[in-house]
């Protein structure tokens, strides 16, 4: 195996408005909605060889083309 390749994991990323008002960092007189960035790593049942360690594991995207499809056109058949 090529050990120089990154480990690609499926995940979800989003920016969410909290409803809280905060001062703008660039201009203290401007009040704006607070936005936080959030993410999650998608998991699945652990491989039987590793289930003794933990029942879940990250969804690994082994093929770069699948990773690119996940990023550009995610759907249930990709996973």
């Amino acid at each position: 195996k090529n050990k120089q390749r990154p480990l690609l994991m499926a995940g979800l990323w989003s920016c969410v408005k909290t409803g809280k008002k905060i001062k703008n960092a660039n201009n203290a007189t401007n009040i704006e909605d607070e936005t936080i960035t959030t993410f999650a790593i998608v998991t699945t049942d652990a491989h039987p060889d590793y289930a003794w360690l933990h029942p879940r594991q990250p969804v690994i995207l082994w093929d770069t083309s699948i990773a690119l499809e996940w990023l550009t056109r995610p759907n249930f058949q990709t996973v």
Side-chain angles (χ1 to χ4, degrees):
K1 292 183 180 181
N2 181 353
K3 296 183 188 257
Q4 299 298 315
R5 293 177 34 193
L7 180 62
L8 304 172
M9 294 182 270
L12 304 170
W13 172 85
S14 183
C15 289
V16 180
K17 290 189 178 187
T18 66
K20 181 179 176 183
K21 301 291 184 187
I22 60 170
K23 292 181 182 177
N24 183 313
N26 298 325
N27 184 346
T29 60
N30 287 349
I31 303 297
E32 60 185 31
D33 292 330
E34 178 183 53
T35 302
I36 59 171
T37 302
T38 182
F39 76 95
I41 296 173
V42 179
T43 64
T44 188
D45 293 335
H47 186 279
D49 290 348
Y50 303 107
W52 63 269
L53 180 62
H54 196 278
R56 307 291 295 166
Q57 73 174 44
V59 172
I60 306 298
L61 303 174
W62 296 107
D63 187 312
T64 305
S65 64
I66 292 175
L68 289 172
E69 184 174 346
W70 174 267
L71 292 170
T72 58
R73 293 177 307 192
N75 61 60
F76 288 110
Q77 287 124 354
T78 303
V79 181

